[in-house]
Amino acid sequence: MSLSSNIQKSNRKRNSGGVFPHAAANAVTLAIFLAKLANLDKAYRGRCTLVALTLWLMGRWLEIKEANEIPDFQRIRGSENCQSNSFRTIYDRSRSSCEYAIPYQKQGKSIYLWQPIPQQLNKFFQLVISKCPYNEPLLNTEAKNKLFSIVKTAWKTPKSLQRHQRVTKRTFFQYFIHCIQRDNQLSATIKGQLLPIDKQTHRSASAYQQLDSDRIRSSTYKAFNDYISRVISAARKYDLHSRYSCFADDIKISLISNNIEEANYLKNHGRIAQYHTEIVGMPEPSEPILFGSQRLVDESETCDFFNRLHNYVKQQRPRECLPNKLDTKRHQDWLNYFNAATYRIALLTNLLTGLRPTHSDSFQWDYYTSDDIVFVKDKGRLRLIILCDYLQAEIRRYLKLKYQIQTKLSDIKINKNLWFCIDSKGAQYSLSNLLLREFIKEFWPGVVPYQFRHLFSQSAISTHSSARLAANDIDRVQGHSNFGEHLGADQMFPASFIRLKSYLNTLPKRFGLEEMPYD
């Protein structure tokens, strides 16, 4: 296999929908890691284990080259603002939970929000953190050196585990990063917050969707529970119970235990609030923070815009019948009607396909099949677009009107684009993003066509329909692709096509779009 083929295969492998890391092989390596941590001095092995597992969760071990680079994690009070490298405990009247700080990116700045520890690890984390003093580093210099020595020395496989497959230490430290990359249920916005920029497969995808911090926190909590459960289940299968123990002082806690207790605030479906604890009193939920798209338009306002556009085009239709021959001076009203219909079909296409208006404002005859699919030139490459049934019907009705108008003009010219406008002299001119912006300004000031692409992407993660798309499907319809995922380099199976088409067919009803009777 050539180098080019290997790169393409690698890009596809680590994208959403790819094969998850080998759970059993990672379970064996985790058993080796825990055994080494258990042999540390009792004075600091509990804290070292907590820091080691935290850096594993965050995928940060490979960044650390020296012992003094291990972060100074600390415990802070629930009344303090979230800050880097911090833990806290929270009690919601049901039971106590441990939370750790993770960074979020918003408009080029880092802010820190609390994230609940995965349920399989919470009992151990809660026990260790509850015994730590406030605002003091968890590890001293000696503890950091001992922990760093474990991480940087070679890990030999014990004889009792040599019959099982294991992954390398480097691969093991990236377990959660690899899981996040391949997780088909996490949206681009969530992945954009959890992954470093160099680990994101489609870096611009997160800019098109919008989620609040409560939903991101809930999805992250569920995902990390699933990732750890895969490893725990494999450990049970290999009967590694004795090797999956962590120590907090002299207390031994099994990570394989089925006795998992979860606080009530973590059971809210789809949302987990961040709580702020006053010095006296119960914790209160904080306002969620929005992340992602800054250009998203309101869905109800979009529905109203296209309804007004529909009525505007209908009002532009001349009352008299189309004459046998169009005179551009005497029948300007027919040209105005046709141009209004052209703007409408262009904007409908933008809304229902997510097409970039800055790259393509019309389909071209060379790539139009008058069927479910059409090809467009996007960023120098051909890209496949799937058309919903409603849009196909609207395009056919528009083309019928265009044929009627063209045949009535004295000078008929062939145009490579399916839709175009005609000026007062009968000359054809193509639409552009600038013209579309000027047209929209009359109906909806402050909004530009590209924002409909953001709404198209947001609709895919906010639909409650059974036809809801997975992350790799959204990337496909949005046109986000890397080397190896472009047209001709990947495959779309019939089941995938049916799923995408079924979803796209839900959009016209969702946006309240009506059929345009040009006759």
Side-chain angles (χ1 to χ4, degrees):
M1 186 179 290
S2 67
L3 176 61
S4 175
S5 298
N6 278 328
I7 295 174
Q8 294 184 54
K9 182 178 179 181
S10 175
N11 285 339
R12 290 192 295 267
K13 180 180 178 181
R14 64 191 182 96
N15 193 8
S16 298
V19 178
F20 270 74
H22 196 298
N26 278 278
V28 173
T29 306
L30 177 58
I32 297 172
F33 193 25
L34 292 175
K36 290 181 176 294
L37 293 168
N39 289 330
L40 290 172
D41 190 289
K42 289 183 180 180
Y44 46 71
R45 68 177 173 182
R47 297 185 183 189
C48 280
T49 302
L50 182 144
V51 170
L53 292 177
T54 301
L55 293 174
W56 178 50
L57 284 172
M58 302 178 75
R60 293 177 58 184
W61 267 121
L62 296 183
E63 303 171 7
I64 298 172
K65 308 300 181 184
E66 301 290 342
N68 58 12
E69 294 180 5
I70 295 176
D72 287 323
F73 288 102
Q74 61 178 343
R75 178 192 182 188
I76 64 175
R77 292 178 173 82
S79 58
E80 296 182 65
N81 291 329
C82 186
Q83 52 192 281
S84 64
N85 304 324
S86 297
F87 294 93
R88 73 168 182 176
T89 57
I90 181 171
Y91 179 70
D92 71 340
R93 294 183 180 177
S94 62
R95 61 189 76 257
S96 295
S97 291
C98 182
E99 297 182 334
Y100 67 112
I102 61 173
Y104 283 68
Q105 300 300 317
K106 185 174 178 65
Q107 297 179 353
K109 296 181 180 180
S110 293
I111 60 175
Y112 288 87
L113 298 177
W114 292 113
Q115 178 65 38
I117 291 293
Q119 58 184 9
Q120 290 283 358
L121 304 179
N122 181 67
K123 185 177 180 180
F124 168 71
F125 272 65
Q126 172 63 23
L127 185 59
V128 173
I129 288 298
S130 63
K131 296 181 179 181
C132 294
Y134 291 109
N135 304 111
E136 292 186 13
L138 268 60
L139 302 183
N140 57 26
T141 301
E142 179 186 358
K144 285 186 178 182
N145 288 331
K146 292 292 184 180
L147 178 56
F148 184 75
S149 177
I150 287 177
V151 170
K152 291 306 175 183
T153 55
W155 293 1
K156 293 184 179 180
T157 307
K159 289 184 178 180
S160 58
L161 295 178
Q162 287 181 355
R163 67 181 184 277
H164 301 306
Q165 181 182 353
R166 56 161 286 197
V167 295
T168 64
K169 183 171 54 176
R170 182 178 182 85
T171 300
F172 168 73
F173 285 149
Q174 299 181 86
Y175 173 73
F176 288 96
I177 288 178
H178 292 161
C179 285
I180 294 167
Q181 288 176 330
R182 293 158 173 77
D183 196 329
N184 221 3
Q185 302 306 311
L186 291 182
S187 70
T189 302
I190 300 174
K191 293 186 179 185
Q193 297 297 342
L194 296 178
L195 294 173
I197 190 68
D198 61 315
K199 300 295 183 181
Q200 297 175 29
T201 50
H202 302 136
R203 299 178 185 179
S204 61
S206 61
Y208 289 93
Q209 301 167 4
Q210 190 179 85
L211 282 177
D212 65 50
S213 53
D214 288 359
R215 291 192 179 278
I216 296 176
R217 186 178 297 109
S218 176
S219 296
T220 302
Y221 178 69
K222 180 182 182 302
F224 273 61
N225 282 338
D226 292 342
Y227 304 158
I228 292 182
S229 294
R230 296 179 70 248
V231 174
I232 298 296
S233 297
R236 291 194 183 106
K237 183 179 179 181
Y238 281 176
D239 194 21
L240 299 178
H241 294 75
S242 62
R243 299 178 181 275
Y244 267 63
S245 297
C246 296
F247 293 87
D249 294 333
D250 291 325
I251 301 175
K252 183 179 180 180
I253 300 174
S254 173
L255 299 184
I256 296 186
S257 172
N258 288 314
N259 185 24
I260 303 297
E261 298 178 342
E262 195 173 46
N264 289 337
Y265 83 100
L266 299 175
K267 299 177 182 179
N268 294 333
H269 180 67
R271 304 188 73 90
I272 296 178
Q274 173 168 295
Y275 287 85
H276 180 76
T277 306
E278 300 296 337
I279 297 177
V280 178
M282 295 304 296
E284 295 291 333
S286 302
E287 274 298 313
I289 302 172
L290 285 175
F291 293 94
S293 173
Q294 303 297 313
R295 306 178 69 184
L296 187 64
V297 289
D298 183 77
E299 187 172 320
S300 60
E301 292 183 11
T302 302
C303 296
D304 180 62
F305 163 75
F306 277 95
N307 181 56
R308 286 185 283 115
L309 179 59
H310 179 90
N311 292 332
Y312 169 76
V313 175
K314 287 178 63 176
Q315 293 169 3
Q316 290 295 306
R317 190 187 190 284
R319 294 183 179 181
E320 69 275 8
C321 295
L322 183 65
N324 292 325
K325 186 175 182 181
L326 276 177
D327 185 291
T328 56
K329 293 182 179 180
R330 291 190 299 110
H331 301 109
Q332 184 64 42
D333 51 351
W334 275 102
L335 297 184
N336 292 338
Y337 174 51
F338 172 73
N339 290 341
T342 300
Y343 279 105
R344 175 180 176 271
I345 197 66
L347 292 171
L348 279 177
T349 302
N350 189 199
L351 177 69
L352 298 176
T353 66
L355 193 64
R356 294 180 177 91
T358 52
H359 291 205
S360 181
D361 297 301
S362 171
F363 298 146
Q364 295 184 4
W365 284 108
D366 288 347
Y367 306 116
Y368 179 66
T369 65
S370 69
D371 206 343
D372 291 328
I373 62 173
V374 65
F375 300 95
V376 297
K377 287 188 176 180
D378 191 348
K379 292 187 175 181
R381 294 177 179 271
L382 280 181
R383 170 189 160 200
L384 182 145
I385 300 289
I386 300 176
L387 305 180
C388 65
D389 293 337
Y390 168 85
L391 184 57
Q392 290 183 56
E394 287 298 308
I395 291 175
R396 284 193 290 267
R397 281 189 284 270
Y398 168 81
L399 292 179
K400 181 179 178 181
L401 172 66
K402 189 186 75 167
Y403 175 78
Q404 293 172 344
I405 296 293
Q406 274 190 296
T407 55
K408 306 301 182 182
L409 293 171
S410 58
D411 186 14
I412 301 176
K413 294 182 179 179
I414 298 176
N415 196 303
K416 65 178 182 179
N417 295 323
L418 264 68
W419 46 83
F420 50 80
C421 292
I422 302 175
D423 63 19
S424 58
K425 297 180 180 179
Q428 302 172 4
Y429 63 94
S430 300
L431 288 181
S432 66
N433 184 48
L434 179 60
L435 290 175
L436 286 174
R437 290 169 70 113
E438 292 177 350
F439 179 79
I440 288 182
K441 189 185 299 184
E442 299 178 15
F443 299 88
W444 198 356
V447 173
V448 297
Y450 209 97
Q451 292 179 261
F452 295 140
R453 175 170 165 80
H454 287 247
L455 179 59
F456 177 79
S457 181
Q458 181 70 14
S459 300
I461 66 170
S462 60
T463 182
H464 299 292
S465 166
S466 58
R468 183 172 181 172
L469 301 182
N472 64 333
D473 293 325
I474 298 175
D475 286 340
R476 184 185 290 275
V477 296
Q478 281 285 104
H480 295 138
S481 58
N482 289 327
F483 184 53
E485 301 170 329
H486 300 127
L487 182 65
D490 68 344
Q491 295 179 337
M492 183 190 297
F493 293 99
S496 298
F497 178 84
I498 292 172
R499 182 171 62 252
L500 294 175
K501 183 68 183 290
S502 297
Y503 165 72
L504 293 172
N505 277 337
T506 67
L507 294 180
K509 182 178 180 181
R510 176 171 179 169
F511 294 130
L513 302 177
E514 299 179 52
E515 176 184 314
M516 176 60 71
Y518 291 111
D519 295 335

